[in-house]
């Protein structure tokens, strides 16, 4: 199945999809807030109508949703790029990705959408990888492809690029940090074109967005969320690959690592993961064996309904308790709920208001922090 470009808006269903796009592109609306508003109001049109009132209740005056021309411009850019729109609750959305707490409501995709339904393994690693690391990435990707797995990675230079290239014949998915129509790094333009023709490229970001540093951790949670297992081939002790591995652990995925020489700093991250309990990888059979037992428990992407809003003095008291518990270091939302000894639905409701107000920040992996 090949992805097709979007057609002009011509039906109520297409109008709803346009409203969904406006909702997710509205200021301070992230994946969790988008899902909550959709669950409460049933349609994107209803959520858009309610959003200024929600913002006003949180103390934000003059809040405006994403303007219609902005969404139409993104749709036009998608048509020009041959990109297709895929929503969280639509057929074809990657099933494992839909289970994570902060699953992207929207994916733009180019290429073979059918690959998203197949079992995936993520291969990640250093940009300045060694020749042995690159060779290992090629061998693993090719062997996993022959075993029926789709190889997913982040289309960076080094390990990512080698894994994608080796898996082109069997199936590969590239997750981009910027818009799906923006190739980064530019040196991978040829590879990106091949993936669009023979594999699949996806992104949650707006069309045309040039990636910044803050976008790469968001991309990493999608890389791990798509996969049954994440294999770190080479990674420094402080690297994006380790962020992906941590995301994978939070998401209930298997984490594996290729060992390296202790004198090579590019192997420090992988060796550290093995010390902490990650499965040691010698060849593809180790990965296949691990994924045979990796069956993450299904989680509903839809939040539970909340109780009615309480008086303002009660809301203010809860807000104060939440903010007193938070600082610049992110903490898990479930830990915050336990510390507050309040119903989960109640806390989640007030977190939405605080997020819209800009007083808290939601981070990948279900983490919450208070901006400095």
């Amino acid at each position: 199945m090949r992805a097709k470009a979007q057609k002009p808006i011509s039906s109520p269903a297409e109008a709803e999809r346009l409203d969904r796009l406006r909702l997710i592109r509205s200021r301070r609306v992230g994946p969790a807030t988008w899902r909550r508003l959709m669950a409460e109001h049933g349609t994107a049109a209803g959520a858009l109508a309610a959003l200024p009132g929600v913002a006003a209740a949180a103390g934000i005056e003059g809040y405006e949703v994403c303007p219609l021309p902005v969404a139409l411009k993104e749709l036009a850019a998608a048509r020009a790029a041959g990109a297709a729109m895929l929503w969280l609750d639509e057929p074809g959305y990657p099933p494992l990705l839909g289970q994570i707490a902060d699953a992207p409501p929207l994916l733009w995709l180019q290429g073979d959408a059918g690959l998203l339904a197949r079992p995936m393994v993520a291969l990640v690693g250093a940009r300045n990888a060694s020749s042995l690391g690159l060779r290992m990435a090629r061998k693993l990707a090719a062997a996993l492809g022959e075993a029926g797995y789709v190889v997913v990675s982040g289309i960076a230079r080094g390990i990512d690029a080698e894994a994608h290239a080796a898996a082109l014949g069997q199936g590969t998915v590239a997750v981009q940090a910027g818009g799906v129509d923006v190739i980064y790094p530019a040196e991978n333009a040829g590879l990106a074109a091949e993936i669009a023709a023979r594999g699949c490229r996806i992104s949650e970001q707006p069309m045309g967005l040039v990636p910044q540093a803050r976008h790469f951790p968001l991309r990493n949670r999608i890389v791990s969320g798509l996969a049954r297992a994440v294999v770190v081939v080479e990674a420094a002790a402080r690297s994006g690959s380790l962020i992906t591995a941590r995301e994978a652990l939070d998401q209930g995925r298997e984490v594996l690592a290729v060992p390296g020489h202790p004198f090579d700093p590019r192997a420090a991250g992988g060796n550290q993961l093995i010390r902490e309990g990650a499965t040691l990888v010698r060849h593809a059979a180790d990965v296949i064996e691990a994924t045979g037992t990796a069956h993450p428990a299904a989680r509903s992407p839809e939040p539970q309904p909340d109780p009615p809003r309480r008086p303002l003095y009660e809301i203010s008291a809860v807000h104060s308790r939440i903010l007193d518990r938070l600082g610049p270091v992110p903490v898990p939302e479930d830990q915050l709920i336990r510390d507050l000894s309040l119903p989960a639905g109640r806390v989640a409701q007030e977190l939405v208001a605080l997020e819209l107000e800009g007083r808290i920040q939601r981070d990948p992996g279900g983490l919450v922090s208070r901006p400095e």
Side-chain angles (χ1 to χ4, degrees):
M1 177 174 70
R2 306 299 298 184
K4 296 181 180 178
Q6 286 295 127
K7 298 178 181 178
I9 304 302
S10 59
S11 69
E14 289 300 305
E16 169 68 9
R17 297 175 99 215
L18 177 61
D19 286 337
R20 288 182 170 204
L21 180 59
R22 292 180 65 197
L23 183 62
I24 193 58
R25 299 300 184 230
S26 292
R27 184 164 54 101
R28 294 178 178 167
V29 175
T33 301
W34 186 94
R35 290 197 304 275
R36 184 174 194 82
L37 290 169
M38 288 293 295
E40 289 178 351
H41 301 284
T43 66
L48 284 171
L51 187 52
V54 175
I60 306 171
E61 299 298 333
Y63 182 92
E64 295 183 358
V65 301
C66 173
L68 178 61
V70 172
L72 289 173
K73 182 178 180 181
E74 184 168 352
L75 284 179
R79 285 195 295 270
M85 174 188 285
L86 182 60
W87 290 98
L88 177 63
D89 58 353
E90 291 182 335
Y93 191 93
L96 284 184
L97 182 62
Q99 295 172 5
I100 70 173
D102 49 359
L106 167 65
L107 293 174
W108 286 114
L109 63 93
Q110 291 178 322
D112 186 355
L115 293 176
L116 300 178
R118 289 174 50 190
M120 299 187 211
V121 170
L123 295 184
V124 298
R127 289 172 171 80
N128 63 332
S130 68
S131 58
L132 283 175
L134 294 174
R135 186 167 69 182
M136 186 65 169
R138 287 194 297 270
K139 291 186 67 174
L140 284 175
L144 289 169
E146 291 173 1
Y149 289 93
V150 171
V151 172
V152 59
S153 197
I155 200 170
R157 63 175 61 91
I159 297 298
D160 289 21
E162 290 295 320
H164 284 308
L168 272 172
Q170 291 79 32
T172 189
V173 172
V175 184
Q176 298 178 216
V180 76
D181 57 337
V182 176
I183 307 306
Y184 182 89
E187 67 194 60
N188 283 344
L191 174 62
E194 286 195 82
I195 296 173
R198 303 168 61 189
C200 186
R201 291 180 7 216
I202 65 172
S203 174
E204 68 175 329
Q205 299 295 345
M207 304 295 296
L209 184 139
V210 177
Q212 305 297 320
R214 67 181 183 276
H215 297 125
F216 290 95
L218 296 174
R219 176 204 62 184
N220 294 346
R221 90 186 192 286
I222 299 177
V223 170
S224 57
L226 287 166
R228 296 185 177 187
V230 172
V231 182
V232 177
V233 178
E234 271 188 350
R238 298 173 62 87
S239 66
S241 298
L242 290 196
I243 294 175
T244 307
R246 303 301 179 199
E247 288 285 352
L249 290 171
D250 289 342
Q251 295 164 353
R253 309 304 195 244
E254 292 287 336
V255 174
L256 307 92
V258 175
H261 196 285
F263 289 168
D264 188 344
R266 291 169 295 196
N271 291 343
Q272 176 184 332
L273 288 173
I274 293 169
R275 284 193 62 191
E276 294 173 355
T279 300
L280 186 149
V281 174
R282 301 159 297 172
H283 37 62
D286 293 328
V287 182
I288 295 168
E289 180 182 359
T291 58
T293 59
H295 299 292
R299 297 172 60 186
S300 170
E302 295 294 340
Q304 296 299 313
D306 293 324
R309 297 289 289 181
R310 287 168 168 75
L312 288 178
Y313 71 88
E314 288 190 19
I315 295 173
S316 178
V318 174
H319 286 187
S320 295
R321 290 183 64 190
I322 291 173
L323 293 173
D324 287 344
R325 290 279 182 177
L326 295 178
V329 178
V331 299
E333 185 174 328
D334 57 354
Q335 181 62 53
L336 176 65
I337 293 169
R338 287 195 296 270
D339 291 344
L340 294 171
S341 299
L342 291 172
R346 177 77 192 282
V347 177
Q349 185 177 16
E350 303 311 334
L351 287 176
V352 171
L354 289 170
E355 183 182 18
L356 286 169
E357 194 176 347
R359 300 173 72 187
I360 68 166
Q361 176 177 313
R362 291 179 186 266
D363 300 300
L367 301 177
V368 187
S369 61
R370 187 174 179 179
E372 295 182 277

